[in-house]
Amino acid sequence: MKTLILSTALLALGSGAALAESHMQTVRLGTEGAYPPYNFLNDAGEVDGFEREVGDEICARAELTCEWVTNDWDSIIPNLVSGNYDTIIAGMSITDERDEVIDFTQNYFPPAASAYAAPSEDVDLTGGVVSAQATTIQASHVADSGAALLEFATPDEAVAAVRNGEADAIFADKDFLVPIIEASGGELMFVGDDVPLGDGIGVGLRESDGELRDKLDAAIQSMKDDGSLNELLIKWFGEETQTFE
């Protein structure tokens, strides 16, 4: 009888350990590493930026072990779906089109403006050539605007196209363009009106990962509730950036 009880107890203990181990599996956070200040690679070759801090804090609050993985933007959704990593934290705006393919948490970055930048104010934004990073909401907007869309794999290439004359203007997240314009010495400037697009930026997940989404959602909400998310927004984007109420 004692042997039976001991065996049962050991079996239960083993099952519990296996269950605990399954809950501690590493969650892989996919990002581009090429979209400062959202995400970029620092001098040590490590993922850095606003989303690095947000992602690390989300994982800590959700009691998850996480690691960062970089992936090119143009294949970032297909490689999430195929299982190369478990989430996308890469400045990805929540849109209906993307939501048909993957799932999203609530936003950790509020809906923000996109903007045009060009060498001069008299650029034709609806009849000229406008560059944008491929498969972004900005590229879709340009395609619908009547302008000739010139797409590039990275945002830096889209900026370079304006500098070398391939494109008349670039359309991108305004927060991405601000430091580029400030550092250009007057070579580039904002033109036209700001354009609000999307429902903010959220963490992308496979549609089958509902339990993980709920954990991340709860962590994001707690960061909104205690003001720590707003602190990170201001740290990386300045006092003028939009924050959560």
Side-chain angles (χ1 to χ4, degrees), residues 4 19-20 24 26 83 87 91 132 138 155 163 167 190 198 201 234:
L4 179 58
L19 181 61
M24 293 176 64
T26 299
T87 71
Q138 288 82 15
R163 295 185 189 276
F190 285 115
I201 296 170
I234 292 170

Side-chain angles (χ1 to χ4, degrees), residues 148-183:
L149 170 63
L150 193 58
E151 291 184 282
F152 292 91
T154 70
D156 288 340
E157 290 174 313
V159 173
V162 178
R163 295 185 189 276
N164 64 28
E166 286 183 82
D168 301 310
I170 178 177
F171 187 55
D173 283 313
K174 187 172 185 178
D175 291 316
F176 168 74
L177 292 173
V178 166
I180 293 174
I181 290 176
E182 290 177 347

Side-chain angles (χ1 to χ4, degrees), residues 61-139:
R61 294 187 183 218
E63 299 182 344
L64 297 169
T65 300
C66 297
E67 67 179 23
W68 288 89
V69 179
T70 56
N71 192 94
D72 291 342
W73 176 261
D74 58 0
S75 61
I76 202 163
I77 288 180
N79 284 341
L80 168 72
V81 175
S82 64
N84 289 17
Y85 35 83
D86 306 301
T87 71
I88 295 173
I89 306 183
M92 180 169 285
S93 297
I94 302 168
T95 67
D96 291 339
E97 182 180 13
R98 288 173 179 153
D99 202 30
E100 292 178 359
V101 182
I102 61 174
D103 203 356
F104 283 97
T105 63
Q106 64 177 294
N107 59 13
Y108 59 82
F109 195 103
S114 296
Y116 292 93
S120 64
E121 294 182 349
D122 60 356
V123 63
D124 185 357
L125 298 177
T126 57
V129 178
V130 178
S131 64
Q133 186 176 17
T135 68
T136 61
I137 57 175
Q138 288 82 15

